[in-house]
């Protein structure tokens, strides 16, 4: 048994896939998070239909948009 | 009478089906959860129309997307 | 005058109908609940247009999806 | 000046009309409530276009669906 | 500088217009409220396209539906 | 660095533009607010496509509808 | 590991891109924020399809509309 936030903690500095509501997907290095699942992503790519549509060196994603995070 | 979180606790390391809002379904081994029903799934499969459309070795699902969880 | 959660408590081990947002309906034996109206249903049937479309020996329904529960 | 929950309290054992989000309307005897406006309705009728489409001897309505309640 | 709830307090026993989400409008005498902006309206009229479509001698409107209230 | 509510405080008695969810826009004099961003507007105009469609001498706008406020 | 609000703090007086729900995008100088991710933007531009459709010398954006913020 592991807590969801512990898995996030173990994923720091690792690549994660983040699926958001409204059909948005992101890929990037998890640089930080807080208990609301607000996320800090480094070298983030926004994806649509598996294609990169935007790149951000740093992005703060508000947690209430998150559907799932896969380390 | 059993508490919903107690059922989740009994389902640790067992296969669960998770139905989310927005027409998403997942199948996987429940590896963890917290009181918001944030879930950790191992060997997760994303399903659409009973077909597997994605596989994740690990996924954190944010609880506010959950409709039901079936152990 | 009776509290809504007291009615749920009296419905433990009895058949209930649960109507959810997004057009979903469930029938099953109420096995548990918590103050958020998260529910545990045993021998649950998912209904669409009065037909059974799914069966679950056990299901945890997240309370924020509930429209009404009828014992 | 009267508090909304005091009006609910005065409406116990009286007929009420309850309008919910998603186009649902109910009529029934108010048997109970809590501070979230979760309601207990006795002899409830579900209405669509002023016609009765369902009857429940008892129903717990989750408060976050309520638009208005008219005693 | 005046607090929003103070304006509501000054509007007790006066006519108010209440605009709700989902395209609903109400007109009535404000009889009460609470800090969630749950409202008690007396002699309420429900409006659609500036026409009266329903009348209620008393209605409790749940605050989370409110867009604005105009005294 | 300035707190959002401090900017609101500095905007008291000044004209503000308020953009709400659901495509609604308002212009008026900010007369008050609270920490939920519930607003009191004086001499408010409701706008659609830059045209004035409604006028209110006083309006309380519920904060959860606000997208942005521009002083 | 860095907290999301710490990244916001480091972005004060710097240009940020803010993507909101409902298809809105903003560009401006971050002048302030609070723990709800309510933001104060200076010299803000509202964008649609990469074109500037509105300009504000100052805007308070309510945090619950935010999808992501990129410094």
């Amino acid at each position: 048994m592991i807590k969801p936030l512990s898995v996030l903690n173990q994923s720091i500095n690792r690549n994660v896939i983040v699926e958001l509501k409204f059909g948005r997907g992101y890929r990037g290095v998890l640089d930080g998070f807080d208990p609301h699942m607000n996320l800090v992503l480094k070298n983030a790519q926004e994806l649509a239909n598996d294609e990169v549509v935007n790149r951000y060196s740093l992005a703060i994603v508000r947690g209430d948009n998150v559907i799932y995070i896969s380390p």
Side-chain angles (χ1 to χ4, degrees), chain A:
Chain A
M1 156 76 159
I2 188 164
K3 291 285 170 194
L5 295 182
S6 301
V7 176
L8 278 182
N9 200 41
Q10 295 171 3
S11 306
I12 289 290
N13 291 322
R14 292 179 55 193
N15 275 294
V16 293
I17 294 169
V18 181
E19 186 84 12
L20 300 190
K21 294 164 192 172
F22 316 110
R24 289 170 183 270
Y26 293 86
R27 212 158 44 189
V29 176
L30 186 66
D31 202 27
F33 66 93
D34 64 22
H36 304 291
M37 283 205 194
N38 296 322
L39 306 173
V40 183
L41 295 179
K42 270 188 312 195
N43 304 322
Q45 297 175 327
E46 185 176 341
L47 302 169
N49 302 319
D50 293 325
E51 289 193 26
V52 178
V53 294
N54 257 316
R55 293 174 189 276
Y56 309 96
S57 59
L58 201 59
I60 302 160
V61 176
R62 204 169 188 267
D64 70 326
N65 301 290
V66 171
I67 298 180
Y68 68 81
I69 304 159
S70 180

